Amino acid sequence: MTGQRLSVTRRTMLRGAVAAGALAGAAATLRPTPAHADPGRSVAVLGGGVAGLTAAHELAERGFDVTVYERRALGGKARSIPVPNSGRDGRPELMGEHGFRFFPGFYRHIPDTMRRIPFAGNANGVWDNLVAASEARFSRRDADDVILPMGKAGRIWATPDDFRETVGSAIATSTKMSESDALYFANRLLVFNTSCDARRYGQWDKVAWREYVGAGRRSTEFRMLLSRTLTTLLVAAKDDLASTLTIGNMGEQFLGNPLEVANDGALDRLLNGSTNEAWINPWVARLRDLGVKFATGEVRGLEIADGRITSARIVDGSGAARQVEADYFISAVPTEVARTLWTPEILSRRPELAGMNQLMVDWMTGIQFFLKTETNIARGHAAYVDSPWSLTSISQNQFWNRTPVTGMGDGTVKDCLSVDISDWNTPGMLYGKPAKECTHDEIAREVWAQLKAHLNDQRELLSDADLHSWFLDTGITWDAGAKRNTNADPLLINTAGSWALRPESHTADIENLFLAGDYVRTNVDLATMEGASEAARTAVNAVLDVSGSNAPRCQLFKLYRATELEPFRQLDIARYKAGQTNLFDIPM
């Protein structure tokens, strides 16, 4: 492996944070603050990721005085990470990232915000920077790969039998799975899709996906594709841990809506440039225009008196602490940070927050391989089904017509293969160690070897000679003494039974504290930027209620459910209440 590692220092991280706040799209027409806005209300937003920026956006449009406190870089996990010292001869630096961006068509909250972020030359703001992927590749080691076209296909079913036959046929044809396995899985989807809310939250959330689909009784192909790969792709969790509520919801969107009814756009979408340039920087610029203020600092504590948060203790990069006062506080920090803030005094008023200590976080983190030639892997995302580390990737330059990779770095880079590592706990094929116990060099070599094992089994799609360099997410830090990595940005895992442990955005027990992380209960029920956006909107609506504001509430969207199956969901309400199984939950 000839590629060199591109490293990052604290100084370059801070420089990236400043760059994230730079103005972009200044030529675009700005939307004025609404006349009905309710000024004079101060809000401290703790955290500058997607949840924090969404909350700030919605509040600022309604005339609130908003300050965002971010410990590192605006955009959080969604930001680009400039690769230090990679630019030459006036070219911008190469762009790394925590993980590749993915905007499914059933996302509604994020696209709605994007349309309100001006971008020069775009009629629909940043939303016009979304582009569709036309296919997905499921790559197998020493076996034929499957290329699936993305987009509207098939037809809407008229009956449950039609659902089973249509979905089962599509799975059998596209995956080369046996007809019996495909029909069985289609029936499991039908059971979930015809389950009422009470059953989904009261029964299926408590069941692991592997158990729900009966993977142990099915073929190897079934277990690999529909049990293991499906869960690691969506929630970076093992199939014996992932909640059926979460995976079932996603299956309902991806497989249960062939005509993409009520979708915002194409099923699989990406940005047409680096995330900072195509989305985050214009967003920050818009927020500044709306009057939002930004401050560097990490929240370390909350003070409470008489049922209200009186101040937040913020620590800056130098270690200096100060108390921040505001009328309202929105916690938009991730799970592992938020639960350190719940003091005995806070828990005495909101005891349900103690359940967050049982929420599971794990790692799903990206590495980018910069290449000297363009790849020809897929015109969209690729999943490496047999890879020990559950890898997925996207070749970015084919989509980056706004900021091509070819115009970055030293001028020799022609493509960026951005890879997500979803399993950090399983031993790899080169060193026999999980990613958590590998040095950064070993991680790069291991991932590269797993990719080649999948892609080069029939013809060479990846060549060592084409590898220019690689870049690992800066949140991964190697501890030489402990001989393992730490991760500054773990991901919430929707495990079986986790819904009961997740809090609501707001209760009257602490009047001015609102929660906006992706751990908050949401309709999308997935730790994603869409979940963060929905949670933030819910928090803002609660602020509007508490403050007595007459400003319009943030729009909230629900996931698609086939209207053709609604009579059966209504029937299931009585069946679940009577302790009966779902009508279609029968042995097959």
Side-chain angles (χ1 to χ4, degrees):
M1 183 175 180
T2 58
Q4 61 180 339
R5 179 194 177 190
L6 297 174
S7 62
V8 67
T9 65
R10 178 172 177 78
R11 178 174 297 177
T12 55
M13 286 174 64
L14 291 174
R15 186 176 66 199
V18 173
L23 295 180
T29 302
L30 298 180
R31 174 176 171 174
T33 302
H36 54 250
D38 187 5
R41 306 284 188 176
S42 62
V43 184
V45 177
L46 310 175
V50 169
L53 295 181
T54 300
H57 194 159
E58 300 293 345
L59 287 165
E61 283 192 338
R62 291 158 175 82
F64 283 77
D65 179 13
V66 183
T67 302
V68 176
Y69 298 87
E70 167 57 35
R71 61 174 176 160
R72 186 173 50 189
L74 297 173
K77 294 185 185 74
R79 76 194 189 283
S80 304
I81 308 173
V83 179
N85 305 315
S86 60
R88 299 286 187 278
D89 302 323
R91 298 183 189 86
E93 293 173 324
L94 296 167
M95 285 293 173
E97 54 196 349
H98 171 77
F100 52 69
R101 304 276 71 76
F102 173 40
F103 300 83
F106 62 83
Y107 278 15
R108 304 289 299 282
H109 298 92
I110 290 287
D112 177 70
T113 298
M114 286 180 153
R115 287 184 173 89
R116 290 183 280 130
I117 303 172
F119 196 96
N122 288 359
N124 299 297
V126 163
W127 185 86
D128 284 339
N129 290 340
L130 293 174
V131 292
S134 60
E135 65 185 19
R137 183 183 191 127
F138 291 83
S139 184
R140 301 297 303 267
R141 185 175 180 181
D142 299 323
D144 290 339
D145 292 358
V146 173
I147 306 292
L148 292 180
M150 305 298 288
K152 299 178 182 179
R155 57 187 173 83
I156 291 293
W157 39 83
T159 66
D161 284 341
D162 195 17
F163 177 96
R164 275 191 293 255
E165 293 172 5
T166 301
V167 176
S169 176
I171 293 173
T173 302
S174 59
T175 65
K176 302 178 183 178
M177 192 177 297
S178 70
E179 184 176 350
S180 61
D181 271 356
L183 286 174
Y184 169 80
F185 183 76
N187 191 72
R188 296 313 292 164
L189 284 181
L190 178 63
V191 169
F192 186 86
N193 288 9
T194 56
S195 290
C196 63
D197 280 340
R199 190 184 299 278
R200 293 186 185 208
Y201 291 97
Q203 180 178 0
W204 299 140
D205 179 62
K206 300 174 183 178
V207 178
W209 181 250
R210 182 176 182 178
E211 177 184 349
Y212 177 77
V213 297
R217 303 185 301 274
R218 314 310 297 189
S219 66
T220 299
E221 189 77 0
F222 183 101
R223 293 195 300 272
M224 290 298 295
L225 284 177
L226 300 180
S227 188
R228 177 181 182 267
T229 300
L230 196 60
T231 52
T232 54
L233 287 180
L234 292 176
V235 297
K238 293 184 180 299
D239 53 358
D240 60 348
L241 296 175
S243 165
T244 293
L245 172 65
T246 301
I247 306 303
N249 278 337
M250 295 303 100
E252 195 168 24
Q253 306 312 305
F254 282 109
L255 298 174
N257 188 9
L259 297 184
E260 301 175 10
V261 177
N263 274 17
D264 176 79
L267 183 61
D268 185 358
R269 297 176 295 181
L270 307 92
L271 289 169
N272 64 359
S274 67
T275 311
N276 278 5
E277 180 164 348
W279 179 23
I280 301 299
N281 287 357
W283 198 3
V284 173
R286 176 57 176 150
L287 298 186
R288 290 188 190 279
D289 288 332
L290 287 170
V292 175
K293 297 176 286 293
F294 297 94
T296 301
E298 179 178 1
V299 58
R300 294 286 181 84
L302 297 172
E303 300 295 329
I304 183 172
D306 300 324
R308 290 179 61 84
I309 301 299
T310 57
S311 65
R313 182 163 60 92
I314 303 295
V315 177
D316 64 22
S318 69
R322 63 189 177 101
Q323 297 297 123
V324 170
E325 296 182 352
D327 295 316
Y328 308 102
F329 293 83
I330 294 182
S331 173
V333 295
T335 312
E336 68 281 0
V337 177
R339 57 193 177 194
T340 68
L341 304 177
W342 312 145
T343 63
E345 293 79 10
I346 290 175
L347 291 175
S348 70
R349 287 187 167 271
R350 291 198 62 176
E352 79 280 5
L353 295 179
M356 288 182 60
N357 289 327
Q358 300 178 56
L359 293 176
M360 179 179 175
V361 296
D362 210 336
W363 300 12
M364 186 176 187
T365 308
I367 183 171
Q368 288 75 52
F369 294 97
F370 298 104
L371 307 174
K372 300 174 186 176
T373 61
E374 289 198 43
T375 61
N376 185 28
I377 296 172
R379 293 173 295 176
H381 292 92
Y384 303 89
V385 176
D386 307 301
S387 57
W389 290 0
S390 297
L391 306 178
T392 50
S393 74
I394 187 76
S395 302
Q396 291 182 319
N397 197 57
Q398 62 184 314
F399 299 102
W400 283 18
N401 56 38
R402 181 169 296 282
T403 54
V405 176
T406 53
M408 301 177 178
D410 62 7
T412 66
V413 174
K414 304 301 181 185
D415 208 345
C416 173
L417 183 61
S418 186
V419 183
D420 278 0
I421 306 170
S422 296
D423 188 336
W424 287 74
N425 303 300
T426 298
M429 55 185 285
L430 282 187
Y431 302 102
K433 297 186 295 184
K436 287 181 178 178
E437 298 176 11
C438 289
T439 66
H440 292 185
D441 282 334
E442 289 173 339
I443 290 173
R445 293 176 183 276
E446 179 72 55
V447 172
W448 187 252
Q450 292 183 30
L451 293 174
K452 290 197 300 180
H454 280 72
L455 295 173
N456 292 355
D457 50 353
Q458 296 187 10
R459 62 188 180 94
E460 188 176 71
L461 293 179
L462 289 182
S463 169
D464 291 347
D466 291 333
L467 181 58
H468 174 278
S469 54
W470 56 269
F471 179 80
L472 182 65
D473 175 20
T474 54
I476 302 296
T477 304
W478 174 250
D479 185 331
K483 293 186 177 180
R484 63 185 297 111
N485 290 292
T486 59
N487 187 354
D489 301 297
L491 182 71
L492 173 69
I493 304 299
N494 294 60
T495 55
S498 61
W499 181 262
L501 304 173
R502 294 163 58 189
E504 299 288 349
S505 177
H506 178 257
T507 71
D509 302 292
I510 305 179
E511 184 185 35
N512 66 336
L513 176 63
F514 309 84
L515 311 182
D518 59 13
Y519 58 85
V520 173
R521 291 180 177 181
T522 59
N523 182 251
V524 74
D525 186 42
L526 189 63
T528 57
M529 53 190 175
E530 176 73 357
S533 178
E534 182 183 346
R537 289 167 178 245
T538 303
V540 169
N541 285 346
V543 171
L544 298 177
D545 291 342
V546 171
S547 68
S549 172
N550 64 354
R553 272 42 182 173
C554 305
Q555 187 171 4
L556 295 171
F557 301 91
K558 290 188 176 297
L559 293 176
Y560 165 82
R561 292 185 184 179
T563 57
E564 295 80 6
L565 300 179
E566 183 59 29
F568 300 98
R569 287 190 285 270
Q570 293 298 315
L571 174 65
D572 196 52
I573 294 174
R575 291 184 65 89
Y576 181 70
K577 187 175 181 179
Q580 299 174 331
T581 61
N582 178 276
L583 180 65
F584 304 103
D585 196 358
I586 55 178
M588 287 189 67

